[in-house]
Amino acid sequence: MKTTIVATPEFEWHWPFTADHLLTLLPGATLARQATLDGLPGDTERLISLGALPANEDLDRLPALAETYVSSGYRSPAETDELLAARGIRQLRLPSEGYWGQSVSEFALGLTIGALRRIPQTHHEIIQSLDPWKYSYGQYADDPDFTAGTVEGTRVRIVGAGNIASRYASFTHMLGADVAAWDPFAAEPSFHRSGARRVHHLENLLADAEIFAPMVPLLPGTEGLITAEHIRALPKGCLVVLVTRAAVVDMPELRRRVLGDELSLAADVFDVEPVPLEDPLLGRRNVVHTPHNAGRTRESNLRLAEALAALFPESGR
């Protein structure tokens, strides 16, 4: 089957290594780097469009097209799905966004340890002053007002048991944490294999949390899933880890409690991005922050290409 891959500049700005790796995995495929679907070989039977959405006139120029993978981001819009279905063109879809699960979950673990031990804060402080070298107790530099110290022995409570959440659960379980998770849609093996105890009611996950990590994707059913009431139920001093989307939690209430020194926060995602320089969350003793880059590694680029290639038999995957 004659396969054409199109990668737009916008797609490659986000995923710069994916298209080239995909080309190596699909023997005989050709790669076009362009912003539209103009000028593609008329005998293309399979189209992998990374960033460009087909219109009727594009499909008119591709009479042999039989199957396609199309995405302008993480998935194709409904009108594109309807157009392809009306044309009788088979549309392939990725079964999940697991290609960046490892990158995000490892980053979340790094944020967690950074927040527990105040690593970013002390890194910055010793550039400006010798005062951080003057310990009150030996070399103890953790903040006793918030969850601190080792992951071992800490009560980690996770919302979600998917690609990111299950990995984070397994990492923290391996380090000796007491891990529990809530996800009404996940199968039992998702919990058993990650070392997480399954909790069947979300409210029962909150009361004893020392680290609380809502790790679900942002979907219509998950927006605002963690309500203000849930945030208020977290114990004082709890560390909240945010690495998927901020909109899954009630950010005004989370902000209130963090700014009131009731909770600590380790966040890669925020309710406003970029975070304004005058935002009071920035530079606090109880906040570790990064600029929404947890999933952007070379490895996640390669895993995306491999997930795409696995949709097609000639890849051997």
Side-chain angles (χ1 to χ4, degrees):
M1 181 173 282
K2 184 174 178 59
T3 300
T4 301
I5 304 167
V6 174
T8 68
E10 174 69 15
F11 175 84
E12 296 207 286
W13 184 74
H14 291 283
W15 299 96
F17 307 107
T18 297
D20 285 323
H21 189 44
L22 180 59
L23 187 63
T24 69
L25 299 173
L26 295 177
T30 59
L31 171 61
R33 288 189 159 93
Q34 56 191 56
T36 70
L37 297 178
D38 292 340
L40 301 183
D43 59 348
T44 295
E45 298 170 277
R46 176 194 293 144
L47 171 64
I48 303 173
S49 180
L50 305 176
L53 298 176
N56 267 307
E57 53 268 29
D58 298 314
L59 300 179
D60 289 340
R61 294 191 294 268
L62 300 170
L65 189 62
E67 66 181 20
T68 184
Y69 171 86
V70 174
S71 175
S72 60
Y74 304 117
R75 57 189 64 87
S76 58
E79 53 267 29
T80 298
D81 298 345
E82 293 166 2
L83 173 62
L84 294 170
R87 292 276 189 141
I89 299 171
R90 180 180 177 225
Q91 186 177 7
L92 302 171
R93 294 182 173 86
L94 289 175
S96 77
E97 294 176 14
Y99 46 84
W100 60 6
Q102 188 73 13
S103 293
V104 177
S105 55
E106 284 191 19
F107 198 96
L109 180 63
L111 279 177
T112 301
I113 295 173
L116 292 174
R117 304 306 312 276
R118 300 186 64 251
I119 294 172
Q121 289 94 331
T122 52
H123 169 86
H124 181 70
E125 289 164 5
I126 67 172
I127 297 171
Q128 300 177 311
S129 169
L130 293 177
D131 289 342
W133 297 90
K134 303 170 186 175
Y135 300 102
S136 299
Y137 302 98
Q139 292 179 329
Y140 182 81
D142 300 340
D143 191 332
D145 290 336
F146 304 99
T147 302
T150 64
V151 174
E152 181 185 28
T154 303
R155 294 186 295 274
V156 175
R157 304 297 182 247
I158 304 170
V159 175
N163 287 298
I164 295 169
S166 64
R167 286 178 169 90
Y168 181 77
S170 68
F171 297 159
T172 52
H173 173 72
M174 178 192 66
L175 290 174
D178 170 37
V179 185
W182 173 84
D183 188 329
F185 304 105
E188 285 296 328
S190 300
F191 300 90
H192 298 323
R193 296 185 65 185
S194 68
R197 171 173 53 85
R198 184 170 201 167
V199 173
H200 292 278
H201 304 282
L202 177 55
E203 57 271 22
N204 293 340
L205 193 71
L206 308 170
D208 68 346
E210 292 179 302
I211 297 175
F212 178 64
M215 290 183 166
V216 291
L218 181 58
L219 301 168
T222 62
E223 185 170 0
L225 175 66
I226 308 304
T227 66
E229 183 178 358
H230 293 138
I231 297 297
R232 286 192 291 270
L234 293 172
K236 191 174 187 302
C238 179
L239 167 63
V240 178
V241 179
L242 286 182
V243 292
T244 54
R245 291 293 188 273
V248 302
V249 308
D250 187 291
M251 281 301 295
E253 183 61 17
L254 179 58
R255 279 178 166 273
R256 184 192 70 78
R257 294 204 67 191
V258 171
L259 295 176
D261 287 337
E262 298 176 15
L263 302 174
S264 59
L265 175 65
D268 183 54
V269 292
F270 298 86
D271 44 350
V272 178
E273 295 181 2
V275 180
L277 294 179
E278 65 275 12
D279 193 302
L281 285 179
L282 296 181
R284 294 182 61 83
R285 69 183 179 111
N286 60 330
V287 179
V288 172
H289 35 58
T290 49
H292 200 154
N293 63 337
R296 290 299 190 267
T297 58
R298 183 183 183 91
E299 288 73 22
S300 64
N301 274 252
L302 302 185
R303 298 298 88 76
L304 172 55
E306 291 159 8
L308 289 168
L311 297 174
F312 309 108
E314 67 267 33
S315 73
R317 300 187 67 82

